[in-house]
């Protein structure tokens, strides 16, 4: 009985999910339209998601706070602010490009498209109707898609090709697994 109750005691949200509190949420059509537009465009360039924050609270998600879905939804690399803010302390994120992109999208000021291009960013994705920091000034002439939930902007200028991160060696993982099995 203790073994059966342990998961419910350790994860009370699991029990609430079992009683209908967790339900699937369907993405608005803008998400599929922007994904298709990005997939069809052969030009290089990663996407920077705005407002520049890691968490979102969309109306279509009942206002529940969730990790920004854009990096998992789109086929291109999506940069988001991956810093962790705890009170007055800011823990730096893992992606140096995400940190370098922050000064290029100043709130209420024009976007520095050249700086973003040097970072390999060719697109700006504006996730509308979600709270977050003030947006930078965007040029309507650069808008490639305008929807109720998403706007997509193609940045003018050159976009640097950013090399993919090398895959880690599998040898340490295999050795650790062998040691664990032993």
């Amino acid at each position: 009985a203790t073994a059966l109750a342990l998961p419910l005691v350790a994860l009370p949200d699991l029990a609430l999910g079992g009683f209908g509190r967790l339900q699937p949420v369907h993405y608005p059509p803008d998400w599929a339209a922007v994904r298709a537009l990005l997939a069809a465009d052969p030009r290089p360039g990663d996407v920077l998601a705005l407002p520049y924050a890691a968490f979102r609270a969309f109306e279509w998600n009942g206002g529940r706070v969730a990790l920004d879905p854009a990096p998992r939804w789109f086929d291109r690399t999506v940069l988001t602010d991956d810093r962790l803010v705890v009170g007055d302390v800011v823990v730096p994120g893992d992606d140096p490009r995400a940190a370098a992109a922050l000064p290029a999208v100043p709130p209420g000021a024009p976007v520095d498209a050249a700086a973003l291009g040097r970072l390999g960013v060719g697109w700006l994705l504006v996730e509308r109707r979600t709270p977050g920091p003030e947006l930078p000034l965007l040029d309507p002439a650069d808008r490639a898609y305008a929807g109720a939930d998403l706007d997509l902007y193609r940045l003018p200028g050159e976009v640097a090709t950013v090399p993919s991160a090398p895959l880690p060696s599998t040898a340490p993982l295999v050795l650790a697994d062998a040691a664990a099995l032993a």
Side-chain angles (χ1 to χ4, degrees):
T2 303
L4 291 175
L6 185 61
L8 297 177
V9 171
L11 301 168
D13 289 346
L14 179 64
L16 295 175
F19 297 120
R21 295 270 324 260
L22 296 179
Q23 297 174 356
V25 175
H26 300 284
Y27 285 71
D30 286 348
W31 287 80
V34 169
R35 179 172 45 194
L37 192 148
L38 287 170
D41 193 319
R43 295 176 291 180
D46 295 336
V47 179
L48 185 121
L50 296 173
Y52 208 55
F55 293 93
R56 303 280 191 256
F58 297 106
E59 290 176 14
W60 50 265
N61 187 25
R64 292 181 295 261
V65 176
L67 189 61
D68 186 357
R72 286 155 297 286
W73 184 267
F74 299 112
D75 294 330
R76 292 181 188 241
T77 299
V78 177
L79 296 179
T80 61
D81 187 2
D82 62 349
R83 298 174 299 168
L84 176 62
V85 179
V86 180
D88 294 336
V89 178
V90 177
V91 179
D94 296 327
D95 189 346
R97 287 194 315 146
L102 186 59
V105 288
V111 171
D112 187 349
L116 291 174
R118 287 189 296 276
L119 293 172
V121 175
W123 298 92
L124 290 178
L125 175 73
V126 177
E127 299 175 20
R128 303 167 114 226
R129 300 190 299 183
T130 182
E134 181 184 0
L135 295 175
L137 297 178
L138 301 165
D139 187 350
D142 297 333
R143 189 172 12 216
Y145 180 86
D149 293 287
L150 297 176
D151 287 341
L152 183 68
Y153 293 82
R154 174 70 179 162
L155 294 175
E158 295 293 319
V159 176
T161 302
V162 178
S164 299
L167 293 175
S169 171
T170 57
L173 181 61
V174 171
L175 290 173
D177 286 345
L181 287 173

